[in-house]
Amino acid sequence: MKWKSYMGKMLIIDLSNKSYEIKDTPLDLIENYIGGKGFGVKLYQKYINKDTDPLSPENVLFFLTGPLTGTIAPAFRSCVVTRSPLTGTWLDSYFGGHFGQEIKYAGYDAVIIKGKSETLTYITIENDNIEFHEADELKHKMISKTTEILKDDHGDDFRVACIGPAGENLVKYALVSCEPMRQAGRGGAGAVMGSKNLKALAIKGNNLVKTADNVEFLKAVNKAYKELNNSPSIETFNKVGTPSSIPFAQNVGMLPTENYKYGQFDNSEQLESKEQSNAFWQRDIACSGCPIACGKIGEIYSGKFKGTISDTIEYETLGLIGSNLGISDINYITKIANLCDELGLDTISTGGSIGFAIEAAKNSNLSFLNNSDLEFGNAETVIELVKNIAARKNKLGDLLAEGVKRAAEYIPESNKYSVHVKGLETPAWPPRGAPGMGLALMTADRGGCHQRAFPVSYETGSEKWQGEYLERLSTDKKAEVVIYQQNKLAALDTLIKCDFATYGISEETYRLLLNTATGMNIPKGYWQKLGAKIWNETRRINLKHGFDRRDDYLPTRFVEEPLPDGPAQGHRITQSDMDKMLDEYYKLRGWNKEGIPQKK
Amino acid sequence: MKKIIVNPELCTGCETCALICSNYNLGGFNPHRACLTIEHFQQGIFNSLGFCQQCENAVCSKVCPTNALKIDQEKGYVTLDKDKCIACGNCVEQCPFDMITIDPDTNKAFKCQLCDGETYCVQYCPYGALEVHTK
């Protein structure tokens, strides 16, 4: 292999005839698209057609790594790319932990899965020894049990990616768990795996990931460590993790509450880090090679859910399962999150779907919604609903398993409170008091997502944009901030960076890590160009699938209902706000008024 | 003699120690190829690390037919002369802590020699969970 730190091979598995082939990773793919999301956009267009049904054997699951995955460079991850059954868009979903690293150690840059097995199957990959196994005994097993059984059968040093009952039952937002508590969470990659009758992949390998210039590479690693050590944000992630965003979101009025109706939650203090720290945190836990250790793990010490093992309940889960459902008891939230993890459900979409159902119960006369227990704050009912969604049990569970967009199509006049963009339930950053965040959700390539751009800190005055503070409620300059962030993050997702690490590690250090590891000579200023190229590609993919400008708008709640509380009280993002931002955004991207990229 | 000891309360399971170990000893990253071992229990609530104990009365050195393994009091650890190793596996079989393997690439015994005094695993552990203990 010309470029170091790549393994130079891709494993292509066809479940329909239980066969596989090992191909060289194309040099032009590496040189033009680096890895991760970059590999994804090219391979997606090669393997997936505009009409490919996401749950058909023709859809393809790509498990992708980046050049730094599996090295000591802090903190690099892996991703799953496929066509989303929830949205019908392109889907890239990222995961930490150790599973992706093991793909490299087994000798591959990518594992590509096509076709469909007739019966439930799992695959073991040990270097170039690939075996298909009947998975009868794993049927409907929870995530941790599935992982445990496979490790017992094949060895503790195998790393396991699997689906839970939700994936087997084709819940549209089922996740792929990559070792317990690390998930490719969003967009329903677990349902794609379920549609292929693939319960799990277990992988291990003894190959070495070698760098081009080990001395210079370790210098770049040390530079990255220093930058992480000097960052107050990283210190916060290490000490208290993402729950630290709760008081911030509450103060700025961006904490989703009761199906996004409100931006502040009366009991927000009960969602803060201290509560879960007291309830179960025992120790720090980190992904492969990561010095940040944002995870806190332990068992609930006492009470009804004593013994439940959990990693940090992240901000997104606190927002969507907590405040958005009116639940403030951290033990219940932890239990519900644990249940989602074990059943294999995305907590964001699950919270969004249940919040929608509770509001629908108040506003609809449909008989299956006629349930007095369906109200905000009723955690026991939420537990039952989560189980019913994963099992597609009864009318309500089956409908909510389709996600908010499809459920709203079934319930008359519910679009007033159905909250999603392109079919992806939005995250815990409702944008009525931050139009740039609105634009980020509108234009995210996989639907309503906060991880493609997150301009909130610029909008709320904690950071300056090009030397000046931006007006929070204005739309001015928001398009350029969103584009800058989208390009940067997409480019760094070719390396598959950890989002949190970008708060410390500089763009220059990412460049040094890549160059010293691979032997490439990526110039300064490359990230924006690479990112823009990738955004053009994902846009073209979505256009081919039938998405256009009309899909780039926010849900009615954020457009027509003024925010009832918080510092941005009375504000909403109007139709003309959205049009103005979209026009500007398309223009800056070199797209026409319909959002079609103009330059090849 | 010196050996590496671990404070399990501080270990996050990031495997940085094993990554730098394989890189120093074999020129590439793979925690399975390190001369230390990591086991995760209860989904990572507790991790157990295994290190060569650099035994005062090292049985590996006693059973080595070519004197490739030696107790070096001055350096403070059990040294391995790879040129002398014939990969007979006696040391692997007899080590009570399972801390010697035969490396599949080099076909030579593989054990911790404290990175010739540098102990990179200790240096690189981001959480200060490892230290060198001198007996």
Side-chain angles (χ1 to χ4, degrees), chain A residues 70-72 98 102 105 144 156-157 159 180-181 204-211 214 217-218 221-222 225 238 282-293 297-299 309 342, chain B residues 7-17 19-24 26-33 38-47 103-105 120 123-127:
Chain A
T71 72
I72 201 172
H98 299 265
E102 208 63 44
Y105 304 144
S144 61
D156 272 344
D157 45 0
R159 300 291 188 177
M181 297 184 284
K204 81 165 189 179
N206 62 8
N207 294 277
L208 296 166
V209 182
K210 295 181 178 179
T211 56
N214 198 46
F217 174 69
L218 290 177
V221 168
N222 283 321
Y225 285 159
N238 173 255
Q282 289 176 32
R283 286 192 320 97
D284 292 355
I285 185 167
C287 299
S288 173
C290 179
I292 305 172
I297 191 169
E299 285 178 74
I309 295 178
E342 286 288 9
Chain B
N7 179 347
E9 275 200 328
L10 297 177
C11 175
T12 67
C14 71
E15 303 194 345
T16 297
C17 51
L19 288 164
I20 197 69
C21 175
S22 69
N23 188 53
Y24 172 78
L26 301 168
F29 297 100
N30 183 335
H32 303 305
R33 302 283 296 276
I38 304 171
E39 279 185 273
H40 304 279
F41 294 96
Q42 282 193 290
Q43 301 184 26
I45 292 182
F46 175 72
N47 306 303
D103 184 77
D105 285 349
Y120 286 112
Q123 284 188 43
Y124 272 78
C125 175
Y127 314 99

